[in-house]
C-alpha cells in the first residue's frame, strides 16, 4: 500500500441486496400492514396482500431501490396487489369467515362501533374507489401521489373520489337531500 | 355535510394485530424463484431470437416452458382459491399432500349442503395418470384459463390441466339441465394462489404423532357447520383410512369420523387435539397446528 492510498483509508461495508431488502421491509412493514389492513378491511387478508406485495418488491428490488421514492414505489406495489387480488375474485372467498360469520373480540378501543360501521360501508365501495378514499383520507396522500400509486390520471382520482364518497355517504345514511 | 376526512377518521386509529403471517424470508425465497424463472425466460428468449435471426428458415421458436405443477403439496398451505360461479360456492377446503378438495354448495341454499366438489391433484397424481401428454378419458372441452380440458367419461364432469402435468376435476350433483356449462364455469373460478398458509382453530400434540400423522387440514369457506378440522392417517395417500377431528360452531371439539383400521392407533392423537385459546377470535388460529 502506498502512502497516498493509506491516507485515504475507507471502510467499505458490503451490504447484500437481501440484507438491504430485509432492512427496508422490516422498517416499512408496520405502515404497509396498516394500509393493507384498512384497504382489505381484514387483518388476515391484509397480511396476504402484504406478502404478495413484498414478494413482488423483492423480485424487482434493484428497480425499486433506484426509484426516486422507494416508499411510494412500495405503496404502489401494495395497492396494485390489493386491486389484482380483487380482480382474481379473491373477495368472493373468505378463508376463515368474515365479521358477520364469527364474533370478533376487539381490544378495548374508543369508538370501535363507529369504526366497524364505517369499515363495513367502506368494504362495499368498489375496490378502486376504496383505494382512492383510503389513500387520500386515511393515508393523507395528495391527489398527484394517489394518481401515481394507482397509475391513473389525477382527474380519474378526483372522479373516483367523488363516486366513492357518494357511495360511502349513501351506505352510511348521510346522503345529502 | 361531513368532511371526507371526518367520514373516514375512525379508520385512522386502525392498527393491525402484532401477530402477522407476513414472512420476509419467504418473500425472498419466492422472489428469487420468480427472478430465476424470469431470467431463464429472458435468456431463452434471447437464444431463440438469436437462432431465429441466424437461421430464419431452419427453426420455428417453441413457446417458453410453463412452470410444472407441484409434485406434492404442503398440507399447511392452500394452493388454489375458488370463487362463486354458476350458482355454486366453496363450503370447505381440505388440504393433503397429493390432493386438495373443495366441497361445493349451492349459493341459493339457505343451509349449505354438499352438492359437488373440486379436486386439485398434484403433478402426476390424477388417478391413472400416465406420462407427458396424458389426459383423462373423455371428449375435448373448451380450455380453462388457456389449458387443456376434458369432459370426463367417469369420475366427474370436467377435468382440466391446472398446472403442467397437474390435473383438477369438478364433480356436481345433477340438478340442472346445463351441468357441463356450470362445471366449466366452476373450473374457471379456480385460481392458483401464491402459497397461502392455512389457519386452523385446533392443535395436536406432536409427540403423539407416531403411527399416524397429520395428513391434511380442513378450513371453512362458507356455510359449513364446523370451524376447521385436522385429518390424520398412517400415510399420505388420499384413499388411506383416516380420522377427522373438527371444531364445531359451538366451539366443541368433535371426532367427526374414524375409519376402522385407525380405531386402535389414533386414540392418543385424537385425545390430544385441543381448540386454541378463545377460538371464536380467529386471530388466535394457528398456521401450524402441531404443538
Amino acid at each position: 500500500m502506498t502512502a497516498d492510498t493509506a491516507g485515504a483509508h475507507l471502510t467499505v461495508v458490503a451490504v447484500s441486496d437481501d440484507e438491504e431488502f430485509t432492512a427496508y421491509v422490516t422498517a416499512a412493514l408496520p405502515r404497509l400492514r396498516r394500509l393493507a389492513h384498512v384497504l382489505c378491511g381484514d387483518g388476515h387478508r391484509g397480511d396476504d396482500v402484504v406478502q404478495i406485495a413484498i414478494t413482488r418488491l423483492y423480485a424487482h428490488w434493484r428497480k425499486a431501490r433506484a426509484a426516486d421514492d422507494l416508499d411510494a414505489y412500495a405503496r404502489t406495489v401494495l395497492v396494485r396487489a390489493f386491486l389484482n387480488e380483487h380482480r382474481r375474485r379473491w373477495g368472493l372467498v373468505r378463508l376463515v369467515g368474515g365479521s358477520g360469520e364469527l364474533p370478533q373480540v376487539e381490544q378495548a378501543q374508543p369508538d370501535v362501533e363507529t369504526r366497524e360501521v364505517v369499515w363495513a360501508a367502506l368494504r362495499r365501495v368498489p375496490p378502486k374507489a376504496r383505494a382512492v378514499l383510503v389513500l387520500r383520507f386515511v393515508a393523507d396522500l395528495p391527489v398527484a401521489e394517489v394518481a401515481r400509486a394507482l397509475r391513473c390520471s389525477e382527474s380519474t382520482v378526483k372522479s373516483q373520489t367523488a363516486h366513492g364518497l357518494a357511495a360511502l355517504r349513501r351506505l352510511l345514511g348521510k346522503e345529502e337531500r | 355535510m361531513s368532511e371526507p376526512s371526518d367520514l373516514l377518521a375512525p379508520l385512522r386509529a386502525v392498527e393491525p394485530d402484532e401477530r402477522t403471517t407476513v414472512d420476509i424470508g419467504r418473500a425472498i425465497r419466492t422472489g428469487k424463484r420468480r427472478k430465476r424463472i424470469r431470467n431463464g425466460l429472458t435468456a431463452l428468449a434471447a437464444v431463440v431470437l438469436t437462432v431465429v435471426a441466424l437461421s430464419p428458415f431452419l427453426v420455428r421458436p417453441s413457446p417458453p416452458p410453463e412452470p410444472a405443477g407441484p409434485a406434492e403439496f404442503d398440507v399447511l398451505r392452500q394452493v388454489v382459491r375458488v370463487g362463486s360461479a354458476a350458482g355454486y360456492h366453496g363450503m370447505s377446503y381440505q388440504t393433503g399432500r397429493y390432493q386438495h378438495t373443495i366441497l361445493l354448495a349451492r349459493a341459493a341454499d339457505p343451509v349449505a349442503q354438499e352438492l359437488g366438489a373440486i379436486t386439485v391433484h398434484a403433478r402426476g397424481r390424477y388417478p391413472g395418470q400416465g406420462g407427458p401428454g396424458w389426459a383423462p378419458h373423455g371428449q375435448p372441452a373448451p380450455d380453462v384459463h388457456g389449458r387443456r380440458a376434458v369432459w370426463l367419461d367417469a369420475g366427474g364432469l370436467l377435468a382440466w390441466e391446472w398446472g403442467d402435468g397437474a390435473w383438477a376435476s369438478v364433480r356436481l350433483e345433477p340438478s340442472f339441465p346445463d351441468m357441463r356449462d356450470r362445471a366449466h364455469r366452476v373450473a374457471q373460478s379456480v385460481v392458483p394462489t401464491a402459497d397461502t398458509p392455512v389457519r386452523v382453530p385446533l392443535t395436536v400434540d406432536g409427540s403423539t404423532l407416531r403411527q399416524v400423522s397429520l395428513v391434511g387440514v380442513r378450513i371453512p369457506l362458507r356455510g359449513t357447520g364446523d370451524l376447521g378440522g385436522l385429518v390424520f392417517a398412517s400415510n399420505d395417500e388420499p384413499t388411506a383410512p383416516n380420522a377427522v377431528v373438527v371444531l364445531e360452531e359451538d366451539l366443541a371439539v368433535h371426532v367427526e369420523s374414524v375409519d376402522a383400521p385407525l380405531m386402535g392407533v389414533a386414540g392418543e392423537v385424537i385425545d390430544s387435539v385441543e381448540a386454541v385459546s378463545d377460538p371464536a377470535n380467529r386471530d388466535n388460529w394457528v398456521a401450524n397446528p402441531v404443538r
Side-chain angles (χ1 to χ4, degrees):
Chain A
M1 181 182 291
T2 67
D4 286 343
T5 54
H9 184 75
L10 297 173
T11 302
V12 178
V13 178
V15 179
S16 73
D17 281 357
D18 287 7
E19 288 169 330
E20 198 177 23
F21 173 80
T22 302
Y24 172 74
V25 173
T26 303
L29 204 51
R31 61 177 182 274
L32 292 175
R33 289 187 64 223
R34 180 169 174 270
L35 178 57
H37 192 174
V38 177
L39 283 169
C40 298
D42 175 299
H44 297 299
R45 286 191 55 218
D47 276 359
D48 287 348
V49 166
V50 172
Q51 186 70 40
I52 292 166
I54 64 172
T55 302
R56 285 184 190 156
L57 191 64
Y58 180 83
H60 299 278
W61 179 239
R62 295 202 171 173
K63 187 178 169 190
R65 198 178 45 185
D68 292 340
D69 184 341
L70 178 53
D71 289 342
Y73 189 99
R75 191 166 51 231
T76 298
V77 172
L78 179 82
V79 174
R80 301 304 305 174
F82 162 72
L83 293 174
N84 284 343
E85 288 310 295
H86 255 280
R87 270 197 287 277
R88 290 166 59 176
R89 304 170 66 95
W90 189 358
L92 295 174
V93 176
R94 292 301 184 114
L95 296 189
V96 289
S99 57
E101 298 167 65
L102 283 175
Q104 289 284 316
V105 179
E106 294 283 351
Q107 299 295 319
Q109 286 179 30
D111 215 12
V112 168
E113 196 175 340
T114 306
R115 189 184 74 189
E116 291 305 318
V117 169
V118 173
W119 221 336
L122 187 64
R123 277 194 289 259
R124 294 175 64 188
V125 173
K128 191 162 184 180
R130 192 194 319 173
V132 167
L133 295 184
V134 169
L135 291 172
R136 285 200 64 187
F137 304 119
V138 180
D140 289 330
L141 296 181
V143 171
E145 191 64 37
V146 176
R148 201 169 130 193
L150 292 169
R151 293 179 188 161
C152 65
S153 68
E154 292 187 22
S155 61
T156 300
V157 170
K158 289 173 186 168
S159 65
Q160 290 281 345
T161 303
H163 291 317
L165 284 173
L168 195 59
R169 287 199 173 100
R170 193 170 57 248
L171 290 162
L172 290 170
K174 294 183 179 179
E175 199 168 16
E176 283 186 293
R177 295 178 191 284
Chain B
M1 172 180 161
S2 55
E3 289 298 320
S5 52
D6 293 343
L7 211 56
L8 290 157
L11 300 185
R12 288 169 172 270
V14 165
E15 287 298 336
D17 196 310
E18 286 184 3
R19 285 163 298 184
T20 176
T21 56
V22 176
D23 183 339
I24 299 174
R26 185 152 56 86
I28 291 175
R29 289 191 297 279
T30 310
K32 278 185 198 297
R33 205 161 49 237
R34 284 190 193 166
K35 281 206 285 191
R36 275 198 298 272
I37 292 169
R38 197 175 62 205
N39 292 342
L41 291 179
T42 305
L44 180 71
V47 169
V48 168
L49 283 173
T50 305
V51 171
V52 168
L54 293 175
S55 315
F57 304 110
L58 297 179
V59 295
R60 180 185 293 271
S62 52
E66 296 197 56
E72 59 179 52
F73 303 133
D74 181 339
V75 298
L76 300 178
R77 291 183 180 278
Q78 196 176 349
V79 294
V80 296
R81 291 183 188 277
V82 181
S84 293
Y88 293 88
H89 64 68
M91 284 173 63
S92 66
Y93 187 116
Q94 185 166 314
T95 68
R97 190 155 308 283
Y98 300 123
Q99 71 177 43
H100 286 195
T101 305
I102 301 98
L103 298 185
L104 301 169
R106 268 208 301 260
D109 287 352
V111 178
Q113 178 192 356
E114 183 204 337
L115 289 170
I118 298 164
T119 307
V120 179
H121 299 273
R123 173 161 46 90
R125 288 286 175 168
Y126 193 93
Q129 184 164 353
W134 178 91
H137 289 295
Q139 299 301 310
D143 287 353
V144 174
H145 297 310
R147 288 184 168 274
R148 289 188 296 164
V150 171
W151 298 123
L152 291 169
D153 288 338
L157 283 167
L158 176 74
W160 76 103
E161 193 175 21
W162 69 279
D164 281 0
W167 287 79
S169 64
V170 181
R171 165 182 69 76
L172 295 174
E173 296 293 329
S175 313
F176 303 98
D178 57 344
M179 294 311 293
R180 278 190 165 187
D181 182 45
R182 286 173 187 264
H184 201 271
R185 280 186 278 157
V186 168
Q188 287 175 318
S189 78
V190 178
V191 179
T193 66
D195 230 11
T196 307
V198 295
R199 292 166 68 89
V200 286
L202 292 166
T203 65
V204 60
D205 181 353
S207 69
T208 65
L209 298 173
R210 291 183 296 272
Q211 289 176 281
V212 297
S213 56
L214 180 70
V215 299
V217 300
R218 185 198 295 169
I219 55 174
L221 296 178
R222 282 194 241 175
T224 49
D226 59 62
L227 300 180
L230 304 180
V231 185
F232 304 98
S234 52
N235 68 66
D236 288 304
E237 288 302 327
T239 53
N242 67 23
V244 182
V245 185
V246 299
L247 183 68
E248 296 285 6
E249 245 174 358
D250 63 1
L251 306 182
V253 177
H254 177 71
V255 180
E256 183 181 82
S257 63
V258 183
D259 288 333
L262 294 186
M263 289 284 188
V265 295
E268 188 187 8
V269 176
I270 290 169
D271 289 345
S272 82
V273 174
E274 294 175 357
V276 297
S277 166
D278 188 14
N281 179 359
R282 61 194 164 107
D283 287 341
N284 293 337
W285 294 17
V286 293
N288 183 355
V290 179
R291 63 175 189 273

